[in-house]
Amino acid sequence: MTASNEYRFQVNLSGMIQILSNHLYSSPKVFLRELMQNATDAITARKEVEPGYQGEARIELTGTGDQLTMMVEDNGVGLTEADIHEFLAMIGQSSKRGQQALLDGETSFIGRFGIGLLSCFMVSHEIVMLTQSIKGGPSMEWRGKPDGTYTIRQLDTQLSPGTKVYLRCTPDAAHYFETEYVKEALFYYGALLPYPVTLLHDGVQSVVNQDSPIWLTRPELARSCRAEVLAFGERLLGEKFQDFIPLTTATGRTGGIAYVLPHAVNLNAKRSHRVYLKRMLISEKAENILPEWAFFVKCLIWTDELQPTASREHFYENEKLEEVRSELGDALRMGLADMAENQTERLQKLIRLHALSMKALAVQDQAFYAMIHRWLPFETTRGHRELGELIDEGETLYYTGSIDEYRQIHHVASAQSMLVVNAGYIYDKELMAMLPVILNNVQTERIEPDEVSMTFTDVAPAERNQYYDALRLADSALQRFRCRAEVKGFKPSDLPVLFTLSQESSTLRALEKASEESTDLFSSVLGSLSAGINSAGYSTLYLNVNNPIIKRVLTSPDNQMTPIAIEMLYVNALMMGHYAMNKQELEVLNQGIVRFIDWGLRANTDRKGDA
Amino acid sequence: MKTEMDFEDLMEEAYQLPNGPAKLGFLEEAARVADVNGMVEEAYEARSEIVDAATFCGYPMKALIAFSWQLGKFDQQPELYDEETLLWSYKWILGKMPDFPEISREKIMELLEDFGARFKSYGYSERSYWYYRFRIFMDFGELEESGRSYDKFRTLDRDFMSDCEACEQDEIMRYFMLKGDDEKVLEVAKPILKGRMSCAEIPHLTLSEILMPLYRLGRTEEADKYQVKGYRLIKGENDFVQSFSEQMEYLTLTNPAKGIDVLEETLVLAADHEDAYAKMLYYAKAAPLLRRWTEEKESEGYRMRLPASFPYEGDPGDLLKLADYFAEHAQTVAAKFDQRNGNTHVSSLIAERRI
């Protein structure tokens, strides 16, 4: 029996780097972030041992062409030889540590040191690190190559504690080593860092990040430094903002500034907020840190309580994130509530730009709705109006449930100066339905197109009786269109007929239309479906007794003429209502026109014959 | 005036909206404008969008109507349109067919064959055909036949027309759920729960589906976590009415008060739903929830907040009567499904069981 041998997987490092650069990180440019992160972690760790210690990071660019080199230095804790072996020689070790640290509640400084350093292979074929640990021991040099080999040696000289990383730029990464680029990138990642970051190039030295403003730690103070906060937002987020709302959470471990976007936003637009974890930029496209409805703001957020994903570009969707999200949402809501009470003009401006956002929020939150309802805009038969104005009219607010319904009735409703709100737009229907719940003295009522008739004047039974024969002829003519006739009086009187259809008959029309166009198989499938709705789906053709022509049609029933006139009025109503007609209806239209021309001509020759 | 916008404006408006009735309103209006003006290609474009939006927000009938029209146009002049997009939507349409009890078993099988033939004619993998066959027989409650298709489709290669892995995995999970194998359900769900497989609808669907299997295995602590997470993902979304029913079923047993919250928050979405199957399941789970709630002290004098459009005329404070209303609706619809399927699969799915 042979003993089984145990082997170890060989991991191809250049393959790993390929994976890192193409899949884990969004772009090679993150190497700088990873280096800054390592520096920050090292400084933070040193501060824990030596409270009050003043950390700093220096970045130096030297050489040109294939000698172009970047050096990143920090005065943090540094690494001992044992640290190097543990964290740089074994890939995956450090991230495992991170997991453990997460369970312990805090991420240790060394966190993901190794994997972060690896990202440098995306821009450099060699990484040299010189380091001196505060724990003492000799200064060390580590040299790594992307093929997975590395060397370690002790230095003869003793360096001061800290770490220096040297990168020699590869030809296709030259762009990432340009001074202006590096300067921008350092600000971008490190604008909020609590220690100075210095860039050295051609003998010129500049501090990339200014002193951190007081409102970074206490967002509630931001209101009193308005201009400064706005300017900061403009520099960091690249937009000229005019308004903002400070964000705070109960623990104080997450805070931020919500800048109100100065332009309207698409509801489907990606929400991108800029989030700093322990003062280092972690994401510029964090979508999940604020509630869905907060699409009218772009936020700067800093936190030290959320867990980043492996790429450090997003956060894990966990309970903590959920808690933070709802607290930030509350802060935003409170900010708006405060405006509603104290600065209505500011709120009005905001609502004009971001009406959809406000409506989305109002649907979810009745108290908020009650607060801001007056300024929400709606489309009505009396033009675009704010809800407050509509309420002041003191009438019942009728609203339609869809744009289609509104289209059907708005002519008639406007002619009768009836106030109808087009609630077919997103959220409007829900808001209209909720309104009486939040305001006691307001009535709203959903109106169906076939209910517009309730504002029509009824025709007295005795009068209706006179039209009995004409109506019977009309009904039988309309039956094949699944439509029935009714006599009413309504404005405007030059409108002879009005066609309305219920939701169901609307579906039926669509079914028939599609069925005519489709394959045999699908037509028969649609047929099975329409059989289910057939019974209820009758539409109505209202004949307007106030109209002189209708009056004539009604008072002189004729077995031959009346059905044709009614059919023509029916297709005319369809055209007026911009309905797409099916084949049968088009035929009626065509034949009808020809027949009327024929009659017209014949009447003409008859008259000539009389003369 | 907005009511007379032209085609481009309407489409523009529609693109800015998330899926939902408002977006559909614009798209239907756009299709109508195109029809009236004889703009056939524009009408086709608008209907593509209708199929997409309607499929994912609870309007399978609207999707079917628009798709039927498209398919007819496509067959007349296939060179004018993109077959990939159209046949991709065919999958959605086919998947929803069994949810209409009015459509006979024979018709659905004919559609499946039509679908298969079209896929074949463009050289796509047969996997899609067998996968949908697997799903359809599951819907019919014929698990043996479904199982045969399951074995078959897994041996065939995926291609770019296949459903995504996460969606397939979810359907496989459903299969074992119907077979009553809770352990296996959780095993299949694992890659989804671990986050290794996901898409626009997964894990959303999965997180509600596994609640009852977990409950039956006594793992309520895990289930509670997934319930919260799952509900957050689907809240307010029209597309997840069936998931709401699974949430309610679980909460009936573990936290009826929370179940009532779910019912009140989602009823407006369910009541307006075109998918008869999802709506039936929802109503079927609402009934026992209400009954269970009446056993709680808090429920005394409680009046259900019903949506304004809800057709129930009775007293919203009479919870038992309301429960009957839900149950009756569910049973009537289930009977229609049973008749179509020629078995009692659907009514046994919604039968109230005490666990």
Side-chain angles (χ1 to χ4, degrees), chain A residues 136-205:
Chain A
S139 297
M140 302 299 301
E141 180 200 80
W142 176 89
R143 260 171 205 277
K145 292 215 166 70
D147 62 4
T149 59
Y150 67 92
T151 56
I152 294 183
R153 69 181 177 99
Q154 294 189 2
L155 295 176
D156 300 333
T157 51
Q158 187 85 19
L159 306 173
S160 55
T163 302
K164 290 180 186 179
V165 175
Y166 293 87
L167 305 178
R168 174 77 52 86
C169 133
T170 59
D172 48 347
H175 164 66
Y176 299 115
F177 284 62
E178 281 167 21
T179 318
E180 272 317 299
Y181 173 81
V182 173
K183 195 170 179 177
E184 273 309 300
L186 288 175
F187 177 73
Y188 181 67
Y189 292 126
L192 305 190
L193 284 177
Y195 59 83
V197 177
T198 314
L199 177 65
L200 223 84
H201 178 254
D202 283 343
V204 184
Q205 180 169 330

Side-chain angles (χ1 to χ4, degrees), chain B residues 32-239:
Chain B
R32 187 190 60 77
V33 168
D35 284 348
V36 169
N37 294 298
M39 300 148 67
V40 180
E41 281 171 60
E42 283 82 354
Y44 187 94
E45 180 195 342
R47 285 185 170 88
S48 281
E49 296 296 326
I50 292 177
V51 172
D52 195 334
T55 301
F56 295 102
C57 68
Y59 292 93
M61 174 112 81
K62 285 186 194 298
L64 170 65
I65 291 172
F67 179 79
S68 304
W69 187 97
Q70 277 192 296
L71 195 67
K73 287 288 171 207
F74 179 83
D75 280 0
Q76 283 165 23
Q77 282 178 294
E79 67 284 358
L80 266 186
Y81 309 101
D82 176 40
E83 78 275 359
E84 261 171 51
T85 320
L86 184 74
L87 292 178
W88 185 271
S89 12
Y90 203 155
K91 296 197 301 176
W92 298 333
I93 301 295
L94 186 62
K96 288 281 183 198
M97 283 299 125
D99 292 351
F100 293 106
E102 299 88 354
I103 302 179
S104 67
R105 207 174 166 288
E106 293 68 37
K107 277 279 171 278
I108 293 170
M109 294 314 290
E110 270 182 65
L111 285 167
L112 175 66
E113 294 309 319
D114 180 62
F115 168 84
R118 285 173 189 269
F119 264 51
K120 209 175 216 167
S121 77
Y122 284 101
Y124 305 151
S125 166
E126 270 188 73
R127 185 184 170 98
S128 296
Y129 167 83
W130 286 99
Y131 168 67
Y132 274 90
R133 196 170 186 279
F134 154 67
R135 285 180 48 171
I136 287 171
F137 278 107
M138 222 176 352
D139 291 335
F140 288 160
E142 297 176 35
L143 293 185
E144 258 176 55
E145 196 55 49
S146 177
R148 275 193 281 279
S149 300
Y150 171 63
D151 293 337
K152 173 89 181 169
F153 98 77
R154 294 202 307 161
T155 64
L156 296 163
D157 285 341
R158 306 177 59 82
D159 67 356
F160 64 98
M161 292 299 278
S162 303
D163 272 13
C164 83
E165 271 181 275
C167 287
E168 284 189 0
Q169 193 79 1
D170 189 72
E171 290 293 331
I172 294 171
M173 209 181 85
R174 192 158 71 90
Y175 172 70
F176 287 108
M177 194 116 66
L178 290 176
K179 290 187 71 156
D181 189 345
D182 289 333
E183 300 273 1
K184 183 80 183 168
V185 166
L186 293 172
E187 186 191 318
V188 177
K190 216 167 207 170
I192 297 177
L193 299 179
K194 291 252 176 220
R196 284 204 297 275
M197 288 182 182
S198 68
C199 68
E201 293 189 299
I202 308 293
H204 310 44
L205 294 170
T206 319
L207 290 175
S208 300
E209 284 163 332
I210 54 161
L211 295 178
M212 287 308 292
L214 282 172
Y215 178 85
R216 285 190 290 261
L217 294 171
R219 292 159 61 178
T220 43
E221 206 170 303
E222 278 165 83
D224 282 341
K225 258 170 51 195
Y226 289 131
Q227 186 273 321
V228 173
K229 192 171 174 196
Y231 187 59
R232 195 180 64 70
L233 287 176
I234 58 177
K235 191 179 171 187
E237 302 273 348
N238 226 335
D239 197 16

Side-chain angles (χ1 to χ4, degrees), chain A residues 182-478:
Chain A
V182 173
K183 195 170 179 177
E184 273 309 300
L186 288 175
F187 177 73
Y188 181 67
Y189 292 126
L192 305 190
L193 284 177
Y195 59 83
V197 177
T198 314
L199 177 65
L200 223 84
H201 178 254
D202 283 343
V204 184
Q205 180 169 330
S206 54
V207 176
V208 173
N209 56 341
Q210 296 96 334
D211 290 343
S212 50
I214 172 126
W215 44 267
L216 277 187
T217 37
R218 300 177 58 193
E220 68 277 10
L221 298 179
R223 276 190 236 284
S224 51
C225 337
R226 212 181 126 73
E228 193 190 317
V229 175
L230 290 175
F232 198 82
E234 189 181 347
R235 167 127 198 246
L236 218 51
L237 301 173
E239 273 192 88
K240 224 174 164 41
F241 301 107
Q242 287 165 9
D243 208 348
F244 63 84
I245 297 169
L247 303 175
T248 49
T249 59
T251 58
R253 293 182 63 184
T254 301
I257 303 286
Y259 290 96
V260 176
L261 287 167
H263 51 81
V265 263
N266 190 317
L267 220 57
N268 283 335
K270 286 259 178 243
R271 348 284 197 223
S272 51
H273 306 294
R274 198 165 291 184
V275 185
Y276 292 79
L277 181 66
K278 300 191 175 160
R279 300 292 193 91
M280 263 295 292
L281 176 70
I282 184 155
S283 175
E284 52 184 310
K285 45 189 176 202
E287 291 163 35
N288 53 2
I289 195 156
L290 277 171
E292 280 282 297
W293 51 260
F295 40 88
F296 60 103
V297 288
K298 194 164 189 173
C299 302
L300 276 184
I301 292 166
W302 43 92
T303 179
D304 63 1
E305 54 185 337
L306 297 177
Q307 172 69 12
T309 59
S311 73
R312 298 210 220 188
E313 289 169 12
H314 296 280
F315 293 107
Y316 280 116
E317 189 60 59
N318 58 18
E319 280 124 61
K320 189 76 216 168
L321 178 59
E322 187 145 327
E323 198 182 304
V324 166
R325 176 167 42 227
S326 81
E327 280 195 50
L328 291 178
D330 287 343
L332 204 49
R333 212 188 305 254
M334 297 264 289
L336 293 171
D338 184 54
M339 276 191 220
E341 219 158 279
N342 306 316
Q343 295 162 288
T344 48
E345 237 169 79
R346 227 175 113 204
L347 183 67
Q348 211 169 350
K349 211 165 122 191
L350 196 151
I351 291 179
R352 271 191 204 128
L353 265 181
H354 302 290
L356 266 187
S357 219
M358 298 297 121
K359 284 182 176 177
L361 184 48
V363 166
Q364 288 180 5
D365 182 341
Q366 293 196 358
F368 180 75
Y369 185 25
M371 228 154 50
I372 63 149
H373 71 274
R374 287 203 70 84
W375 299 285
L376 293 176
F378 288 88
E379 180 186 332
T380 75
T381 43
R382 295 183 196 158
H384 287 269
R385 304 281 288 274
E386 282 179 1
L387 187 52
E389 297 175 77
L390 296 176
I391 290 170
D392 293 343
E393 307 265 359
E395 300 170 32
T396 296
L397 295 176
Y398 292 103
Y399 64 95
T400 63
S402 74
I403 306 168
D404 188 50
E405 290 170 9
Y406 184 73
R407 182 174 52 78
Q408 289 181 41
I409 62 171
H410 91 277
H411 284 304
V412 181
S414 332
Q416 304 183 52
S417 66
M418 178 179 175
L419 179 56
V420 179
V421 177
N422 180 0
Y425 300 102
I426 191 158
Y427 308 127
D428 287 0
K429 192 166 56 174
E430 291 86 344
L431 289 176
M432 279 294 142
M434 272 164 66
L435 194 60
V437 182
I438 64 151
L439 294 174
N440 287 330
N441 49 352
V442 180
Q443 287 300 314
T444 66
E445 198 173 320
R446 160 122 188 224
I447 188 168
E448 305 271 354
D450 44 2
E451 284 174 299
V452 180
S453 55
M454 64 191 181
T455 61
F456 293 177
T457 21
D458 287 332
V459 176
E463 188 186 348
R464 221 167 43 225
N465 203 25
Q466 295 170 27
Y467 310 141
Y468 181 82
D469 290 332
L471 281 175
R472 265 188 40 146
L473 287 170
D475 276 340
S476 58
L478 292 173

Side-chain angles (χ1 to χ4, degrees), chain A residues 39-157:
Chain A
T40 305
D41 290 344
I43 289 170
T44 312
R46 185 155 185 188
K47 271 188 179 164
E48 272 162 29
V49 193
E50 304 170 33
Y53 180 74
Q54 179 55 49
E56 67 167 309
R58 290 173 59 238
I59 291 86
E60 194 174 341
L61 294 166
T62 51
T64 54
D66 55 0
Q67 300 294 309
L68 186 53
T69 302
M70 178 185 299
M71 189 270 293
V72 177
E73 178 183 13
D74 69 69
N75 58 358
V77 281
L79 301 173
T80 62
E81 185 171 354
D83 291 337
I84 295 181
H85 282 297
E86 191 177 352
F87 298 114
L88 288 179
M90 200 99 91
I91 297 177
Q93 178 88 345
S94 53
S95 63
K96 215 170 180 178
R97 276 278 181 123
Q99 284 292 333
Q100 188 52 46
L102 166 68
L103 294 178
D104 296 343
E106 286 296 331
T107 334
S108 69
F109 109 85
I110 213 86
R112 297 148 191 266
F113 188 88
I115 212 160
L117 201 58
L118 276 183
S119 68
C120 296
F121 282 127
M122 294 190 286
V123 296
S124 173
H125 285 333
E126 190 180 40
I127 301 172
V128 178
M129 183 181 74
L130 305 182
T131 183
Q132 169 64 51
S133 170
I134 52 165
K135 291 183 211 148
S139 297
M140 302 299 301
E141 180 200 80
W142 176 89
R143 260 171 205 277
K145 292 215 166 70
D147 62 4
T149 59
Y150 67 92
T151 56
I152 294 183
R153 69 181 177 99
Q154 294 189 2
L155 295 176
D156 300 333
T157 51

